[in-house]
Each structure stands twice: as C-alpha cells, then as structure tokens.
Amino acid sequence: MNTAVTKERLEQILDQALQDVTEQTAGVRLNQDNQSLGEDICTVHITFDKGFSTSLTLCADTSLLYRMACNSFHEDEVSPEDLEEFSKEYFNVLCGKIAGAMFQATQVAAHFGQPMFCHGRYEPEGQEVQFVLTYSDEHSENAQLIHHVPCSHTDGTVSERS
C-alpha cells in the first residue's frame, strides 16, 4: 500500500475505514488520540499477500474489544472464544473495506490472508512500522492501527517475505 498512494492519503483511508467499521459493527466511536494502550491488550494481524506487500496490526485494550464484541453480539458477556472470533471477523471486515478503498484509489486489487489473533502485542517478522494511528473512545479505552511495510536494508533493497 505504501507505494500506490501517499502516506497521508493512506492514513486517511485507514482512519476512515476504521472509524466507519467500528461504529457500524460494534456501535463504538473511536477518535484519533495520543493515549497509550493499557497493559491488558490483544492483537489482530493480517498480511496483504496480493496487490500490496504490507500488513496491518490492530492492538487494542482487551476491555475495548470485549465491549465491542458484546455490542456486536447484543450480549452482556462474551466468552474468550467469542472475543477472538469477533476480533478476527471485525478485522476481516475492516481490511475488506480498506482493500475496496485502496482499489478505488489505485485500481490495484488486493488480497489478504486470514486474521491472526493473540493476547498481548504481536510484531510481524520482516516488517517495520511505517506509521501508527492511535485511537481512544468515550471510556478512555484505546487502540492502535499499525501499518507495516517490508524491512528495508541500508543498501536500499527490501526484505522478501517468507
């Protein structure tokens, strides 16, 4: 994604998609903010394997994802399995919206793999952070959407993904 549009335009596309999908699927309004994540976080990660050589990672306070899952399922409580399932499906929808917006902007079709979920922070190998969008909601729960690009070497070459 990093070579098809400017970094600023990409940030706008990711921001708009995240805010729209979060409000539509979970009834939560996120606003860009500079708050840091808490200590109890979950991560959802996805790699674009066609069209763009990038990946996206969403790190969020577990309490935020839990509330989003409860809202989405119209339940007062959800199990850890439901939390994982919701998080992966939510991120899948988000990445689909991003892929659609990127196609409109670049005419490049993108494909991404299955989302990966974990408790704690996940850092993809062979990738480096290009930028981080940080969000907070009305309950001061926080999330970060991180855009990764292949690691570049000092000689200007780029790492191949495995």
Side-chain angles (χ1 to χ4, degrees):
M1 280 186 244
N2 56 316
T3 59
V5 296
T6 66
K7 178 178 168 273
E8 292 75 21
R9 179 68 182 124
L10 179 57
E11 287 177 358
Q12 290 173 342
I13 289 170
L14 297 181
D15 176 56
Q16 189 65 57
L18 183 124
Q19 290 192 44
D20 290 350
V21 168
T22 304
E23 192 161 355
Q24 291 168 2
T25 63
V28 172
R29 179 170 286 254
L30 294 176
N31 296 299
Q32 284 201 27
D33 199 340
N34 290 326
Q35 299 295 319
S36 17
L37 296 173
E39 294 195 20
D40 183 12
I41 64 170
C42 293
T43 300
V44 191
H45 176 78
I46 209 160
T47 299
F48 285 84
D49 52 17
K50 178 184 171 210
F52 304 106
S53 297
T54 63
S55 65
L56 290 171
T57 302
L58 177 74
C59 294
D61 291 338
T62 301
S63 57
L64 173 60
L65 289 175
Y66 184 83
R67 189 163 49 82
M68 289 170 58
C70 288
N71 289 353
S72 180
F73 294 149
H74 305 288
E75 300 285 342
D76 291 333
E77 294 182 24
V78 294
S79 69
E81 294 80 16
D82 288 339
L83 176 67
E84 178 175 344
E85 186 62 32
F86 165 78
S87 299
K88 289 171 20 177
E89 185 57 32
Y90 159 78
F91 206 54
N92 205 30
V93 170
L94 174 61
C95 289
K97 184 159 181 90
I98 290 167
M102 289 302 297
F103 180 77
Q104 285 185 332
T106 66
Q107 300 304 300
V108 174
H111 179 268
F112 49 88
Q114 292 293 317
M116 186 267 323
F117 176 88
C118 69
H119 292 278
R121 184 175 289 274
Y122 172 77
E123 299 285 338
E125 289 185 33
Q127 301 263 307
E128 62 189 15
V129 174
Q130 183 184 36
F131 61 82
V132 178
L133 301 175
T134 303
Y135 298 89
S136 187
D137 72 355
E138 69 274 10
H139 299 283
S140 297
E141 295 170 321
N142 305 301
Q144 292 180 329
L145 184 62
I146 306 163
H147 183 252
H148 297 274
V149 295
C151 289
S152 55
H153 301 285
T154 55
D155 64 2
T157 60
V158 175
S159 297
E160 291 295 318
R161 288 193 326 214
S162 49

